[in-house]
Amino acid sequence: MKTNMKPLPYEWLLEVINISTLPTVIVDQEGLVYYLNKAYCDILSVNLDDAIGQPVQEIIENSRMHIVAKTGKEELEDIQPINGTVMIANRYPLIIKGELVGAVGTVMFPNPDDLRQYKNKVQQLIEELKHTRTNTIKDLNSNYTFQDLMGSSPVFQSVKQFAEKVSGSDSSVLLTGESGTGKELFAHAIHNSSLRDKYPFIPVNCASIPADLLESELFGYEDGAFTGAKKGGKKGLFEIANHGTVFLDEIGDMPFSMQSKLLRALQEREIKRVGGQNLVHVDVRIIAATNRDLEKMVEDGSFRQDLYYRLNVINIEVPPLRKRKEDIEFITNKLIKKLEGKFYRQGTSISSEVLEKFQQHSWPGNVRELENVLERTLNVLDSQTIQVEHLPLYIRDAGDVERRINKATRSERNSPDKSPIDMSPDSVQPLKETLASAEKEAIKHALSIADGNKLTAAKMLGVGKTSFYEKCKRHGIN
Ligand SMILES: Nc1ncnc2c1ncn2[C@@H]1O[C@H](COP(=O)(O)OP(=O)(O)O)[C@@H](O)[C@H]1O
Ligand SMILES: [Mg+2]
């Protein structure tokens, strides 16, 4: 570039760099300090003469100038801690006449006042985030009330009324019923209409916490209780829930050894942290839930009888959807309304044939299954009305494929299927295909009931994990 400018004298240039408020460093291609302006010298408390010629990373903490001098790639707005202070670094390659000769770097926020303001701002954001997060967790956790429990059939209404009546008591509640019937929702609603509603509702899924961690999760641990234990120990969920409710979900999956410890805690209203000596008094109400037959488990010795009695002071049995078919239409419409918000839709309805299919289907996954089916359908629906062809095959063929699945999978459905059998020759497929399609449907069905959880689905179908994954792959299910 040709200009009329006279070359700036060297001293002037240096002074310009010095006057500039930004701490600035110049390194050569080897990453040795070529120049450090006054502002930078002040921050680092070094003499310019001591710094010159030294490797930059020895003069400036966490410097990457020597790297930029090699790569020629600029690095902007990088966080760089110096002397325990967070700085924002900009690093530029120094290219003179097309040749990479070194690098220039500046850092920002060296002014303590700026930094303090910046820190306050970040701190404020962190507080806001914490606050939002706590509220979200509270929303997720415990804002359900009895009003949110959908169903107007007499059987559902009477269960709901009973639950409402006992919510004020401090006695343990055992919620039983198939998967997806709303046991967890009931637990929330009971807590929220109890006197404990200002205190925490703490859900614990006994099936998903590894057996050897369950005790420390529930009761906490003392400092040094085991390797990897947090310093100072940790409160358990019972202590966190103090004055509130602990919801022990899938209680039927609680390991036997843990059952005794839980029983003791319930009897004594005291817990002992893992690795600790002292007993801590806790005041919690227990709501437990399971879809397993605890009475049978007591009989065959896999569940402690005394614990069963402790938990089963109040038993609430949530009825499956197929035993309250009157509710299906109402719940479907409510769920559609809810899902419409999620998919930005309006005015979605179902055809009468779909309703009929829904009435015929036995809903082993109950409301959760209905919700999943509707969500999947709405997700791809390009018209206003849900028709039979939009439904998953196993519901479309409620009656036909259903029957095959029922035979192929362990299923304890007891509603007899009344739909007519297709007598035309076309309805007969080669056995291999029929079996394959039944297998595929059974897998999709199990997955939908298990909420997409492959391990659970495999367990329900009584096949191993590996074989389940293979089958999914073969049928193109992911
Ligand atoms: N009566 C109901 N009213 C509204 N939603 C329900 C009802 N029952 C179940 N659900 C919904 O079905 C899903 C499963 O409910 P959940 O309480 O987790 O069942 P469970 O614990 O019995 O397996 C949740 O998404 C829940 O919102
Ligand atoms: Mg549940």
Side-chain angles (χ1 to χ4, degrees):
M1 190 172 54
K2 226 176 146 176
T3 69
N4 293 329
M5 193 182 116
K6 284 192 272 175
L8 276 176
Y10 178 68
E11 287 78 15
W12 288 33
L13 273 175
L14 277 190
E15 198 49 21
V16 170
I17 300 171
N18 266 328
I19 289 169
S20 126
T21 50
L22 286 185
T24 304
V25 60
I26 303 172
V27 301
D28 65 15
Q29 231 207 323
E30 302 307 312
L32 303 177
V33 175
Y34 204 92
Y35 188 69
L36 204 58
N37 77 347
K38 194 163 172 321
Y40 224 151
C41 286
D42 287 350
I43 295 181
L44 301 172
S45 313
V46 296
N47 275 326
L48 177 60
D49 285 338
D50 294 339
I52 284 174
Q54 299 297 318
V56 67
Q57 62 275 36
E58 282 175 22
I59 302 295
I60 303 172
E61 228 178 302
N62 300 309
S63 181
R64 291 176 48 84
M65 293 298 295
H66 52 303
I67 296 168
V68 174
K70 283 258 167 351
T71 61
K73 285 206 186 93
E74 69 179 11
E75 297 182 352
L76 301 182
E77 293 178 15
D78 194 23
I79 304 274
Q80 183 177 348
I82 300 177
N83 288 341
T85 300
V86 174
M87 306 253 187
I88 310 295
N90 286 320
R91 310 182 188 102
Y92 310 89
L94 194 56
I95 295 165
I96 302 295
K97 292 186 185 147
E99 204 184 319
L100 179 65
V101 295
V104 186
T106 60
V107 286
M108 286 192 285
F109 291 125
N111 178 343
D113 280 339
D114 289 354
L115 184 67
R116 212 168 297 127
Q117 270 182 17
Y118 177 70
K119 261 190 178 159
N120 285 345
K121 181 100 192 125
V122 171
Q123 197 57 38
Q124 202 179 324
L125 288 172
I126 288 174
E127 290 306 319
E128 266 173 42
L129 181 67
K130 265 194 206 157
H131 182 73
T132 324
R133 190 181 282 165
T134 320
N135 281 353
T136 318
I137 288 173
K138 194 164 162 29
D139 280 356
L140 285 176
N141 262 350
S142 190
N143 62 354
Y144 295 106
T145 66
F146 282 108
Q147 264 122 54
D148 298 307
L149 285 167
M150 305 174 203
S152 54
S153 59
V155 18
F156 193 72
Q157 282 293 329
S158 83
V159 172
K160 210 163 120 171
Q161 273 159 18
F162 177 65
E164 214 162 348
K165 207 155 71 189
V166 300
S167 56
S169 132
D170 255 350
S171 306
S172 301
V173 173
L174 180 64
L175 289 158
T176 49
E178 292 174 14
S179 171
T181 45
K183 297 184 293 296
E184 188 158 356
L185 246 55
F186 265 93
H188 282 296
I190 292 171
H191 169 79
N192 279 332
S193 69
S194 77
L195 295 170
R196 297 175 173 268
D197 66 331
K198 299 285 177 294
Y199 294 96
F201 174 88
I202 304 287
V204 186
N205 190 320
C206 303
S208 68
I209 301 175
D212 51 339
L213 284 186
L214 193 55
E215 184 180 0
S216 62
E217 277 295 311
L218 291 180
F219 301 151
Y221 56 77
E222 291 295 350
D223 202 348
F226 44 86
T227 42
K230 212 168 89 186
K231 210 161 158 39
K234 193 181 146 202
K235 263 191 187 180
L237 296 172
F238 270 62
E239 272 182 81
I240 293 172
N242 204 13
H243 304 304
T245 306
V246 173
F247 174 51
L248 297 172
D249 202 1
E250 319 268 11
I251 186 84
D253 293 86
M254 179 172 273
F256 201 75
S257 62
M258 194 55 217
Q259 291 175 20
S260 328
K261 289 174 181 157
L262 175 64
L263 178 70
R264 208 190 48 221
L266 298 186
Q267 276 169 341
E268 314 295 332
R269 307 209 153 268
E270 279 174 336
I271 53 142
K272 204 194 280 177
R273 287 185 177 189
V274 174
Q277 292 304 320
N278 300 337
L279 290 167
V280 186
H281 178 81
V282 284
D283 160 37
V284 293
R285 186 208 198 158
I286 300 290
I287 303 180
T290 184
N291 55 7
R292 299 176 64 169
D293 186 348
L294 281 193
E295 235 164 286
K296 195 157 160 282
M297 290 180 71
V298 168
E299 263 168 44
D300 59 46
S302 52
F303 201 85
R304 284 189 69 122
Q305 188 173 38
D306 37 14
L307 178 61
Y308 174 65
Y309 288 135
R310 266 274 153 190
L311 297 172
N312 197 25
V313 180
I314 299 168
N315 177 221
I316 299 175
E317 196 178 339
V318 188
L321 204 49
R322 69 179 161 283
K323 289 208 178 135
R324 45 187 183 108
K325 295 209 156 163
E326 316 92 288
D327 285 343
I328 290 177
E329 184 174 9
F330 176 75
I331 296 180
T332 301
N333 288 328
K334 282 268 190 184
L335 290 175
I336 287 177
K337 279 274 152 309
K338 189 169 114 184
L339 289 165
E340 275 186 331
K342 185 167 171 182
F343 294 115
Y344 305 101
R345 305 181 58 103
Q346 249 181 342
T348 316
S349 61
I350 59 166
S351 73
S352 54
E353 291 80 20
V354 167
L355 183 59
E356 205 175 305
K357 287 289 177 201
F358 279 5
Q359 304 278 8
Q360 279 167 5
H361 182 54
S362 58
W363 301 107
N366 294 289
V367 183
R368 181 184 289 118
E369 183 186 359
L370 177 56
E371 204 168 5
N372 288 346
V373 166
L374 289 171
E375 174 156 1
R376 257 194 286 166
T377 310
L378 246 65
N379 201 8
V380 293
L381 187 69
D382 49 13
S383 54
Q384 289 291 74
T385 311
I386 302 177
Q387 307 285 358
V388 174
E389 61 263 28
H390 299 129
L391 299 179
L393 203 62
Y394 76 89
I395 293 185
R396 229 185 291 173
D397 296 347
D400 184 20
V401 171
E402 266 280 294
R403 229 189 322 277
R404 276 179 279 161
I405 294 168
N406 282 350
K407 286 200 185 120
T409 61
R410 51 130 223 140
S411 165
E412 329 109 279
R413 266 163 261 171
N414 38 20
S415 67
D417 225 314
K418 298 258 165 48
S419 50
I421 296 168
D422 190 346
M423 296 300 283
S424 68
D426 284 355
S427 66
V428 179
Q429 298 257 317
L431 186 59
K432 217 171 157 186
E433 276 170 37
T434 308
L435 288 175
S437 94
E439 181 175 89
K440 184 174 177 185
E441 285 311 309
I443 289 173
K444 278 164 62 180
H445 185 57
L447 276 171
S448 133
I449 289 167
D451 223 5
N453 185 317
K454 286 196 169 160
L455 283 183
T456 313
K459 232 196 241 172
M460 288 168 94
L461 291 170
V463 296
K465 189 174 81 178
T466 322
S467 127
F468 185 80
Y469 278 99
E470 269 168 19
K471 286 179 196 299
C472 284
K473 208 170 152 199
R474 190 169 344 121
H475 293 299
I477 301 170
N478 47 37

